[in-house]
Amino acid sequence: NIMSGKDGRPHPRYEDFEGKPTPVDAPIEERMREMLAERDDICIYDETLQNAKVIHFPAQKETRLLTHFYAFVFFADWKADLWSKRFVRDHLRYIDEIMCAAARVVQAVRRRSKTGSYDSLHVRRGDFQYKKTRLDANKLLEKSRDKLEEGGVLYIATDEHDKNFFQPFREHYDVVFLDDYKELLTGINGNYYGMLDQLIASKGRVFFGTWWSTLSGYVNRMRGYYIAKHKLEGYEDGTMESYYFFPDERKEQMKKYYPVKKPIYMREFPTSWLDIDKGIEEIHQQQ
């Protein structure tokens, strides 16, 4: 009825939900309207699919599997929806070795700061396919300086090997990299360093990321989880102190609620963390 307009309302538009998140416990029709914004088809998980031994998702032109689980799965029961998101938050995470190593570095970076906090950046360079994001350091500084704490500690997560590239930042901030904390990473597999960068950057007071980067995107999802769990500023509307260097019109994407929008992989969306602990006290009381 929503897709055909038989419910008496026009097909839901993306703009209908900007800055207006649908309550997580809203009636099924209202939650589905937001999920269907700018969508033109749905797939019902019916008896045939439930009985199938294998479900194949073909990778074809215009089809990508590099995307977010919550963007394609809808539960009629809002409690089941929130349970699935909590399950991913609490169990589908990095192994303890990575989490503990990152915590050691976060603690060290905070101790370096006079305020006990630090700002963070993710500057993706290397072989990133979106070359337009490869701005020079002066331009990156120009786009982020209004939000960063002058003279404060700045943690930079990056795949740029030449750290002299960031000299313009050193003139304004106490810049540190993962390389500066190698003594805390003894025995840690070097293949884990990207994940460590991600976790450490997620604890920044303010975070600047690279648009289109799934690493930057997941930093924001982890920030969202933390904000929601501890009821910090932004927990009620899914917003946070995160920004993007480029494009200019995307700089403050995380400062306003936006529903899931294609192309989905370009960023993370607050529906994955907003109010996902709702109803959990009731569950605890029942047990």
Side-chain angles (χ1 to χ4, degrees):
N1 288 340
I2 295 175
M3 299 293 287
S4 65
K6 291 182 179 179
D7 64 347
R9 291 184 285 180
H11 190 284
R13 301 174 306 156
Y14 179 76
E15 294 79 9
D16 295 340
F17 306 96
E18 288 185 7
K20 296 177 288 185
T22 302
V24 296
D25 60 347
I28 182 174
E29 294 85 358
E30 300 308 312
R31 292 189 295 111
M32 182 168 278
R33 283 188 66 81
E34 178 172 332
M35 186 74 167
L36 291 176
E38 296 194 359
R39 308 284 182 106
D40 52 19
D41 199 6
I42 59 174
C43 177
I44 305 296
Y45 186 57
D46 56 16
E47 186 175 357
T48 299
L49 289 179
Q50 293 170 23
N51 293 331
K53 294 183 178 180
V54 177
I55 298 178
H56 178 236
F57 295 89
Q60 303 170 335
K61 187 176 181 181
E62 305 301 330
T63 301
R64 295 186 65 138
L65 294 183
L66 181 64
T67 192
H68 318 313
F69 75 98
Y70 57 82
F72 287 97
V73 180
F74 180 86
F75 291 89
D77 184 343
W78 67 268
K79 294 180 181 179
D81 176 61
L82 299 189
W83 177 88
S84 73
K85 292 171 180 175
R86 290 195 301 270
F87 184 88
V88 170
R89 178 193 66 189
D90 298 336
H91 300 288
L92 191 60
R93 60 170 179 80
Y94 296 138
I95 60 175
D96 288 348
E97 181 182 8
I98 297 174
M99 300 293 286
C100 292
R104 292 196 295 272
V105 178
V106 168
Q107 183 181 52
V109 178
R110 284 174 172 167
R111 284 176 175 171
R112 184 184 181 105
S113 169
K114 295 179 181 178
T115 63
S117 65
Y118 62 92
D119 294 336
S120 58
L121 317 176
H122 171 230
V123 180
R124 180 73 160 89
R125 293 180 61 78
D127 60 349
F128 197 41
Q129 68 191 92
Y130 298 101
K131 304 303 182 186
K132 63 181 74 175
T133 65
R134 296 186 60 168
L135 306 177
D136 65 53
N138 284 304
K139 183 61 70 172
L140 292 172
L141 176 61
E142 175 188 322
K143 290 178 174 293
S144 58
R145 192 174 174 184
D146 63 323
K147 304 297 182 182
L148 303 178
E149 182 183 11
E150 184 73 18
V153 175
L154 179 64
Y155 181 89
I156 301 181
T158 184
D159 56 352
E160 174 57 63
H161 296 296
D162 181 9
K163 299 304 189 294
N164 290 324
F165 171 83
F166 296 100
Q167 185 56 38
F169 282 93
R170 293 185 189 277
E171 296 171 7
H172 297 274
Y173 312 104
D174 181 10
V175 175
V176 293
F177 303 92
L178 186 62
D179 293 346
D180 297 319
Y181 297 94
K182 287 288 185 67
E183 74 279 2
L184 300 178
L185 306 177
T186 302
I188 300 295
N189 190 321
N191 291 321
Y192 295 164
Y193 284 8
M195 291 171 270
L196 291 171
D197 255 347
Q198 200 172 44
L199 287 162
I200 299 161
S202 75
K203 292 297 191 245
R205 180 189 67 90
V206 168
F207 171 71
F208 267 83
T210 300
W211 188 255
W212 292 298
S213 166
T214 52
L215 191 151
S216 283
Y218 192 57
V219 166
N220 280 328
R221 196 200 307 175
M222 287 190 288
R223 288 169 68 77
Y225 286 154
Y226 189 80
I227 289 169
K229 192 168 187 176
H230 297 281
K231 298 189 183 311
L232 303 179
E233 183 179 355
Y235 84 94
E236 294 179 305
D237 59 4
T239 60
M240 62 183 66
E241 283 296 312
S242 288
Y243 305 89
Y244 286 99
F245 294 110
F246 178 88
D248 290 341
E249 66 272 16
R250 305 296 188 191
K251 180 175 181 177
E252 300 201 358
Q253 277 276 305
M254 307 307 296
K255 295 294 292 177
K256 181 179 180 181
Y257 179 88
Y258 288 96
V260 173
K261 181 180 182 180
K262 298 181 287 187
I264 296 167
Y265 67 90
M266 63 187 173
R267 55 158 291 181
E268 294 271 359
F269 297 88
T271 187
S272 64
W273 65 78
L274 180 61
D275 210 12
I276 62 175
D277 286 314
K278 188 178 183 64
I280 200 169
E281 290 301 324
E282 179 183 341
I283 295 174
H284 288 166
Q285 292 171 2
Q286 292 174 352
Q287 295 176 342

